[in-house]
Amino acid sequence: MTAESKPMESETQNNRGHNSSLGYKTFKLGDVEFSRDLYFCHLKWPTGSHSLHIEPFLRATLRMYQWQFFFGSLLYDDLVGFTNHYGTVELFIGRDDPGFQKAEKTHAVVMETGEALEDLCAMLENWSGGQFDPFVSPRETGRSIGAHSAPLDHLMTNRRLLAKRILGGKDEAAAWSASNGQNTNEHFEDLEQIQPLVHAEPGYEDALSAFNVFAHLACQEVVWNPSICSVVRHNAVCITTEEEELPVWHKNDRLEWFVQLSDEIIWDIQNGADGQKRARVIMRSGDVSAMPHDIRHRGKSPKRSMLLVWENSDPEIHKKVSAGAVPFLSESLDYAAQS
Ligand code: PHB
Ligand code: FE
């Protein structure tokens, strides 16, 4: 953490009049100040200010922190987000918003990724008190409204599995299942968790692994937090259980594929560059979609559902995409293209 970004002890009243007697610290990322009160995170920078509801803010920030900013940009809303430049990270305000652009009010801070992660970690630890678990579905957690208190013990624990080759393989974490001791979520109690049997030829015992993806997802306790379940070269197959709303808008810098494994997710799709509405994609069990690189999306899952996300983890792919060196897939997501 740099000297500039060290948390400042709250005063009884800060210079915008927000009452900070609740005991929360105020943080600075570059010249952007983050403070919290009962219901909101307030941002203040030399030419403007903005407020975000605290619970969605904490849900989004914990994912940004644990995913180390993921691919492309993660946004809290239509104004504020982080872009991953793979080594550095940019906190932007209004950068992709036509109103801010027209008024010449956009603002950005570029930081070393490690420094930004330290700042988010300190903020999460200080602001996520009480019984609020930002990772579980809203129906399964308490709230984060009130004065400062200690967060849940497991707040910062990494609650996803990251396979190097395949879950359950040699020296790899085992997929979740009831037979492995995990609890089954009540929305998936009707699912039979039969595990595959693997009969390997002698000598191939360490090279083969199989598991029941549906059992793994029925036992995922968190939502909107994909585990990498298998990897082949730059293909990362990520599986996750979803409920209520994805806490971030994701503006990718590459194409990604979705396979809806159960139930339904409604995706709101906007232009990546300016947030204009582009499409609403309703995915039901068995549906497959390719999300192009030039959009941002956010999912809504009316009941707990299962999703597979296929990511291209080629460290050069975003450069090929921005250079126009790979095929684009985009027009099919225009409202105009829908009958
Ligand atoms: C995505 O942005 O593509 C995404 C993120 C988290 C999920 C699902 C999809 O759980
Ligand atoms: Fe995405």
Side-chain angles (χ1 to χ4, degrees):
M1 198 180 289
T2 61
E4 204 181 18
S5 63
K6 280 213 165 36
M8 307 180 295
E9 288 296 337
S10 297
E11 293 136 25
T12 306
Q13 202 155 53
N14 67 24
N15 51 10
R16 270 167 308 143
H18 295 127
N19 183 354
S20 45
S21 60
L22 297 168
Y24 293 109
K25 288 178 178 166
T26 296
F27 296 86
K28 262 194 143 184
L29 274 67
D31 60 359
V32 182
E33 183 188 291
F34 289 70
S35 62
R36 105 150 258 193
D37 62 16
L38 199 57
Y39 295 119
F40 296 102
C41 163
H42 301 283
L43 283 78
K44 191 178 163 224
W45 60 98
T47 53
S49 62
H50 185 56
S51 302
L52 296 160
H53 195 285
I54 192 64
E55 286 174 352
F57 175 84
L58 293 171
R59 289 193 172 102
T61 305
L62 187 53
R63 286 166 179 80
M64 292 171 180
Y65 171 75
Q66 292 218 345
W67 303 346
Q68 305 200 359
F69 301 107
F70 197 23
F71 298 133
S73 304
L74 297 174
L75 290 85
Y76 291 100
D77 63 358
D78 49 0
L79 289 183
V80 183
F82 287 94
T83 297
N84 194 348
H85 295 301
Y86 312 103
T88 60
V89 63
E90 178 186 339
L91 165 65
F92 62 88
I93 301 166
R95 186 195 63 194
D96 302 338
D97 178 75
F100 265 64
Q101 288 162 359
K102 203 167 149 211
E104 297 184 356
K105 287 279 185 189
T106 64
H107 192 73
V109 174
V110 177
M111 289 163 284
E112 296 294 322
T113 303
E115 182 194 332
L117 290 172
E118 280 182 33
D119 290 343
L120 296 193
C121 180
M123 201 185 295
L124 286 160
E125 285 179 337
N126 188 259
W127 288 5
S128 319
Q131 292 307 301
F132 181 61
D133 186 339
F135 258 133
V136 304
S137 72
R139 88 187 145 81
E140 295 171 307
T141 184
R143 312 241 21 200
S144 178
I145 291 169
H148 174 264
S149 61
L152 296 169
D153 285 345
H154 58 266
L155 177 75
M156 303 307 282
T157 308
N158 191 340
R159 292 152 88 187
R160 62 190 178 137
L161 301 177
L162 302 178
K164 292 187 279 297
R165 175 71 187 81
I166 185 168
L167 293 181
K170 188 172 173 346
D171 302 327
E172 302 256 17
W176 297 313
S177 66
S179 52
N180 213 14
Q182 278 83 32
N183 293 328
T184 302
N185 189 273
E186 60 174 323
H187 283 195
F188 293 131
E189 268 164 2
D190 54 345
L191 186 107
E192 271 193 276
Q193 298 190 22
I194 302 166
Q195 291 296 334
L197 284 175
V198 178
H199 298 284
E201 291 290 323
Y204 290 90
E205 292 86 350
D206 285 346
L208 289 177
S209 170
F211 63 93
N212 183 335
V213 163
F214 295 95
H216 172 87
L217 294 175
C219 295
Q220 180 175 317
E221 63 171 1
V222 298
V223 293
W224 306 106
N225 192 32
S227 290
I228 300 181
C229 73
S230 81
V231 180
V232 180
R233 296 200 180 93
H234 295 312
N235 297 282
V237 178
C238 312
I239 51 174
T240 165
T241 301
E242 320 294 41
E243 189 172 328
E244 212 244 10
E245 195 166 33
L246 176 58
V248 287
W249 282 94
H250 182 214
K251 175 184 167 186
N252 212 339
D253 54 15
R254 63 201 68 201
L255 178 141
E256 66 189 323
W257 289 83
F258 290 157
V259 181
Q260 190 67 36
L261 297 179
S262 86
D263 303 281
E264 179 180 298
I265 297 181
I266 302 155
W267 290 96
D268 291 318
I269 318 283
Q270 303 180 348
N271 273 347
D274 61 12
Q276 273 193 57
K277 308 287 175 283
R278 182 89 160 258
R280 179 174 149 92
V281 175
I282 301 174
M283 294 189 66
R284 305 214 168 95
S285 187
D287 288 346
V288 178
S289 69
M291 294 280 165
H293 71 280
D294 62 347
I295 55 131
R296 48 177 109 152
H297 54 209
R298 175 175 219 166
K300 293 184 172 76
S301 186
K303 79 168 276 290
R304 215 166 174 91
S305 71
M306 300 178 175
L307 176 70
L308 182 152
V309 183
W310 179 17
E311 291 286 348
N312 183 334
S313 60
D314 178 349
E316 300 298 315
I317 188 69
H318 58 292
K319 294 180 199 155
K320 294 179 197 164
V321 169
S322 56
V326 290
F328 283 0
L329 176 112
S330 201
E331 291 76 12
S332 59
L333 271 179
D334 285 343
Y335 271 125
Q338 295 176 10
S339 54

